[in-house]
Amino acid sequence: MSYIRLPSTTIIAKPTPSNFPNSSKDSWWTQIFDPGGQFITRWNYMFLITCLNALFVDPLYFLVPEIARHKYCMRSDYGFAAIITVWRSLIDVISFIHIFIKFRTAYVAPNSRVFGRGDLVMDPRKIALRYLRTGFAVDLAAALPLPQLFIWFVIPAVRSTTAAHANHSISLVIIIQYIPRLFVIFPLNQRITKTTGVIAKTAWAGAAYYIMLYMLASHVIGATWYLLAIERQYSCWKEECGKEKNSTYPCNRVYFDCDHVDEPGRDEWLRETKVLSNCSAESSPINFTFGMYAPAFAEGVTSATFFEKYFFCFWFGLKSLSSYGQNLDTSTSIGETLFGCSVCLGGLVIFCLLIGNMQTYLQSTTARLEEWRVKRRDTEEWMRHRQLPPDLQDKIRRFVQYKWLATRGVDEEDILRALPLDLRRQIQRHLCLALVRRVPFFSQMDDDQLLDVICEHLVQSLSTKGQHLVREGDPVNEMTFVIRGQLESSTTNGGRDGFFNSITLKPGDFCGEELLTWALTPESNVNLPSSTRTVKALNEVEAFALRAEDLRFVAKQFKRLHSKKLQHAFRYYSHQWRTWGACFIQAAWRRHKRKKLAEELARQEGLYQYYNDDDGGGGENDQNAQHLGATILASRFATNTRKGISNKEGVVASAPSMPKLFKPDEPDFS
């Protein structure tokens, strides 16, 4: 609820929240309400529903009169009238509350609408004078309980009450008061549309609203038709009654009122009169032309129960309105002809409004789908015109279909660009912050402001199976962070023969880190870095991307971080650094193995020399025996040594030589 304390003097103020303090300080009946505030907006919606109820309740009074079939008289269903009276009295109470609220609702000064919304005038005296000059008379006329007063006080006070007089009085009062009620609901529609932009928040609710208005019009026409049918029956009785003035038992109009069925002479008159037979729509031949009202008597609607009566009248009104009155067989009665003309013209106008608004609301629900269908059809025609290969056409179709499933044809960047900067940041933080923190490299950052800047510049990136995000050697124009799906990242180290490294990027991984190195280097030139890897989608991939220029802007924030933690995290999670590290470790290990092999060979050769140095100092037989043993030992050692060397050389020769990978550039985190 938005309001301010009641001022003692005229105040012209901006409609800001500061002008409408908390309601706990002042009583609600001393407050001035903001016309664009939440309370007035909700109240307008509630009062719109109340006005629709009023338009529905008033024609129900037309169903109060009925014909007692067995007593051949007219009466009023006062039990049903009591229910309608209570219902309408509640509506009238709400209408008077609405009048009070309008006396306490500020308005925009006309001379302040030069720029923006304008200033609110909140002086109670000026508000009251303006309301009294503009809409007070119409609101008061719509809120007065006239039908209740006529049914329960005015009509019973009339001495010579007849059923026809009661029917005419009710219809006259309700028809007169129906006009200001319509004048209330149309400006209310405009105020709601001006404040909120639309009557209904969803397309289906808007369509249902206009269908309800169409059904309300059918209800009014059906109830009016029923009352005119009762009047038609009474007109026939009155006409035939005038012909029996000189008969033995003269006709009296009082006999047609069920309150006077005990009048003396009425039973004798019923036995002798021809009024009832001449005014029966079921007799053959029919002596009186009932015209369009004949179904009310042929189907016994005038003496049926309330629900049977109501639904038949509603069906008649709906049928007549939808067919523009073509199903109505009118007589030469002027009133009946005018009613048929009004049904025809009203049905034409209301049906056109219904179809137009229904088409507008329903088309809004399928506008994106239809736009996507048109784009897809244009894409198909373009692919056939350019004679693209079938496999390439399938890739394009898969991407278009995947983009539709992911975004439903909504351009998120368009929506965000129309919002102010602060709202954009809050939305991007809500959408991306949790996903950004899932990236291990970003999870090492403790600076929330830096993460907000990153979220602000992230854009959505979609890829289908088999699509290449970047190829080895191509310029890198964005850094991609995987959210869903898997990517294959491979490298041949610039096309070197015999070298291939492949890894799988999963949710939380990133690629295009060369761009981060380029952005963090102060002396980096304008040219984008070349990719060291080929990245291909293994399935449908949803990711966020940081474009080159955005990353250069975000990279300026990194320079404020004087920590080695980010540098180590970048090296650890960068697949380019991981590949270089793996190759570096493998090359060092193979150098170590070759060194160990050389040392083993040198040790074996030293042992053989040792045996040669121990030859001398014995007898000839001992020397011969020693020479013979040494010869056998040397022969065995030489054989084993040759086998070992040949096996190890074969292993070394069969292993590919490790290429010399260049160490990736070190990003300048300082």
Side-chain angles (χ1 to χ4, degrees):
M1 186 182 297
S2 302
Y3 44 77
I4 68 165
R5 179 172 297 177
L6 183 63
S8 58
T9 58
T10 304
I11 297 178
I12 305 292
K14 290 286 185 180
T16 57
S18 60
N19 294 326
F20 299 92
N22 198 335
S23 60
S24 60
K25 298 180 181 179
D26 301 303
S27 302
W28 63 271
W29 56 83
T30 61
Q31 309 306 320
I32 300 297
F33 301 101
D34 179 11
Q38 188 176 11
F39 171 75
I40 295 298
T41 301
R42 291 181 178 178
W43 174 260
N44 286 337
Y45 271 108
M46 191 185 75
F47 189 67
L48 175 63
I49 298 174
T50 303
C51 291
L52 294 176
N53 270 275
L55 295 179
F56 175 80
V57 170
D58 286 354
L60 291 179
Y61 280 107
F62 294 166
L63 304 180
V64 171
E66 59 182 4
I67 296 177
R69 176 175 295 183
H70 301 292
K71 295 182 179 181
Y72 304 103
C73 60
M74 294 184 183
R75 64 187 179 188
S76 298
D77 188 354
Y78 286 103
F80 175 60
I83 297 175
I84 302 175
T85 299
V86 173
W87 191 353
R88 195 183 194 279
S89 299
L90 293 175
I91 294 174
D92 292 339
V93 170
I94 297 176
S95 299
F96 279 107
I97 295 175
H98 179 70
I99 292 175
F100 173 78
I101 290 177
K102 292 190 72 173
F103 271 112
R104 318 302 298 178
T105 303
Y107 67 94
V108 179
N111 56 359
S112 66
R113 294 176 179 173
V114 179
F115 179 76
R117 177 186 173 184
D119 297 332
L120 291 181
V121 176
M122 294 174 287
D123 181 18
R125 184 174 177 274
K126 288 191 173 184
I127 294 173
L129 291 176
R130 179 178 180 271
Y131 181 46
L132 289 173
R133 289 195 308 267
T134 55
F136 173 74
V138 176
D139 292 342
L140 182 62
L144 291 176
L146 297 181
Q148 298 97 303
L149 295 176
F150 268 79
I151 281 185
W152 299 103
F153 298 101
V154 177
I155 294 178
V158 179
R159 291 183 178 180
S160 58
T161 301
T162 61
H165 177 71
N167 296 343
H168 284 300
S169 301
I170 294 173
S171 60
L172 180 63
V173 170
I174 292 178
I175 289 175
I176 290 176
Q177 199 175 25
Y178 218 71
I179 297 173
R181 288 190 180 272
L182 290 176
F183 276 104
V184 167
I185 197 171
F186 290 140
L188 185 62
N189 266 324
Q190 295 178 356
R191 284 197 298 270
I192 294 176
T193 305
K194 184 178 180 180
T195 304
T196 62
V198 289
I199 290 292
K201 295 182 180 180
T202 63
W204 289 108
Y209 173 73
Y210 283 99
I211 289 179
M212 183 178 62
L213 293 181
Y214 190 78
M215 295 173 66
L216 179 62
S218 303
H219 161 70
V220 173
I221 290 176
T224 305
W225 170 79
Y226 175 82
L227 182 66
L228 293 178
I230 296 290
E231 296 295 334
R232 192 69 168 168
Q233 179 71 71
Y234 184 78
S235 298
C236 179
W237 285 349
K238 185 172 63 173
E239 181 180 338
E240 293 294 329
C241 184
K243 298 178 182 179
E244 296 184 353
K245 289 183 178 180
N246 300 324
S247 61
T248 307
Y249 298 98
C251 177
N252 191 349
R253 295 182 185 179
V254 179
Y255 293 160
F256 303 126
D257 193 344
C258 290
D259 293 336
H260 299 82
V261 293
D262 296 331
E263 289 284 332
R266 187 177 187 277
D267 294 336
E268 292 78 5
W269 171 77
L270 284 177
R271 286 193 297 268
E272 299 294 333
T273 185
K274 295 183 180 179
V275 173
L276 302 179
S277 59
N278 291 338
C279 293
S280 175
E282 301 175 359
S283 62
S284 181
I286 300 176
N287 298 315
F288 187 81
T289 305
F290 287 94
M292 70 172 71
Y293 310 114
F297 308 106
E299 303 296 336
V301 179
T302 55
S303 57
T305 62
F306 167 72
F307 288 104
E308 292 176 347
K309 182 194 310 181
Y310 170 74
F311 284 110
F312 187 89
C313 294
F314 175 75
W315 159 244
F316 181 86
L318 184 63
K319 179 175 63 174
S320 303
L321 202 62
S322 302
S323 61
Y324 315 130
Q326 296 180 12
N327 62 323
L328 301 179
D329 296 327
T330 60
S331 64
T332 56
S333 173
I334 297 177
E336 187 177 350
T337 305
L338 292 177
F339 178 70
C341 293
S342 64
V343 171
C344 180
L345 295 176
L348 180 63
V349 174
I350 297 175
F351 193 75
C352 291
L353 290 175
L354 173 68
I355 295 301
N357 288 286
M358 285 284 291
Q359 184 179 10
T360 301
Y361 277 100
L362 293 180
Q363 278 184 349
S364 66
T365 61
T366 58
R368 296 289 183 185
L369 181 60
E370 189 63 29
E371 183 180 352
W372 174 72
R373 287 175 180 170
V374 172
K375 288 184 178 179
R376 187 171 182 178
R377 183 193 61 192
D378 295 342
T379 303
E380 292 287 343
E381 293 179 355
W382 174 78
M383 290 190 299
R384 286 195 298 268
H385 176 68
R386 293 299 181 182
Q387 298 181 359
L388 298 181
D391 56 339
L392 187 56
Q393 293 186 19
D394 291 339
K395 291 180 180 179
I396 295 175
R397 293 190 190 100
R398 284 200 304 269
F399 176 78
V400 173
Q401 180 70 20
Y402 179 60
K403 185 176 181 181
W404 166 256
L405 293 175
T407 63
R408 290 294 175 185
V410 178
D411 190 351
E412 295 182 358
E413 295 185 18
D414 242 0
I415 297 176
L416 291 175
R417 277 196 297 267
L419 298 175
L421 180 60
D422 183 57
L423 285 180
R424 287 204 303 267
R425 287 176 177 172
Q426 294 181 27
I427 293 172
Q428 288 291 91
R429 180 183 177 88
H430 170 73
L431 295 176
C432 305
L433 185 60
L435 300 175
V436 167
R437 290 191 183 277
R438 285 169 49 186
V439 179
F441 176 63
F442 287 148
S443 65
Q444 304 293 328
M445 302 179 185
D446 300 327
D447 192 349
D448 291 337
Q449 184 179 4
L450 179 59
L451 292 178
D452 290 340
V453 174
I454 293 174
C455 292
E456 183 181 349
H457 291 84
L458 287 177
V459 294
Q460 190 179 31
S461 176
L462 302 175
S463 304
T464 55
K465 182 179 179 181
Q467 180 181 345
H468 286 79
L469 276 72
V470 64
R471 297 179 185 270
E472 189 174 356
D474 291 347
V476 182
N477 54 13
E478 63 183 16
M479 191 175 179
T480 305
F481 304 91
V482 183
I483 303 302
R484 297 180 186 88
Q486 293 181 342
L487 296 172
E488 180 190 22
S489 178
S490 59
T491 180
T492 59
N493 194 24
R496 184 172 298 178
D497 294 336
F499 182 86
F500 180 81
N501 172 261
S502 177
I503 55 176
T504 301
L505 302 180
K506 299 179 180 179
D509 294 333
F510 59 90
C511 61
E513 58 269 24
E514 301 92 346
L515 195 63
L516 180 61
T517 305
W518 167 81
L520 288 173
T521 304
E523 61 273 5
S524 60
N525 53 18
V526 181
N527 296 328
L528 295 174
S530 299
S531 175
T532 59
R533 309 186 70 88
T534 298
V535 182
K536 183 177 70 174
L538 297 178
N539 47 30
E540 281 72 19
V541 176
E542 186 174 353
F544 283 114
L546 268 175
R547 295 167 182 167
E549 293 303 323
D550 295 333
L551 187 58
R552 182 184 285 275
F553 172 78
V554 174
K556 297 178 182 179
Q557 308 297 325
F558 282 83
K559 295 182 179 181
R560 296 182 299 176
L561 303 176
H562 302 282
S563 173
K564 293 293 183 181
K565 186 178 180 180
L566 268 183
Q567 185 174 1
H568 295 317
F570 176 77
R571 289 179 179 178
Y572 180 77
Y573 293 110
S574 171
H575 294 287
Q576 185 183 3
W577 275 82
R578 286 186 177 185
T579 303
W580 174 83
C583 293
F584 183 82
I585 292 173
Q586 290 181 24
W589 173 253
R590 294 186 182 184
R591 288 196 303 270
H592 173 71
K593 293 294 290 183
R594 286 196 294 268
K595 182 179 179 181
K596 294 292 291 183
L597 178 60
E599 291 177 355
E600 178 67 20
L601 292 177
R603 190 181 66 80
Q604 296 289 351
E605 291 177 357
L607 180 61
Y608 177 70
Q609 185 65 31
Y610 170 76
Y611 281 111
N612 290 334
D613 292 341
D614 287 345
D615 286 346
E620 185 176 351
N621 294 331
D622 293 336
Q623 290 179 358
N624 293 332
Q626 290 176 357
H627 282 299
L628 180 60
T631 303
I632 295 172
L633 181 60
S635 176
R636 291 178 179 176
F637 174 74
T639 302
N640 293 334
T641 302
R642 283 195 299 270
K643 290 181 180 180
I645 292 173
S646 62
N647 290 336
K648 291 180 179 179
E649 287 179 352
V651 172
V652 175
S654 61
S657 59
M658 288 300 301
K660 293 182 179 180
L661 285 177
F662 293 104
K663 182 179 179 180
D665 295 333
E666 184 79 33
D668 184 10
F669 284 91
S670 62

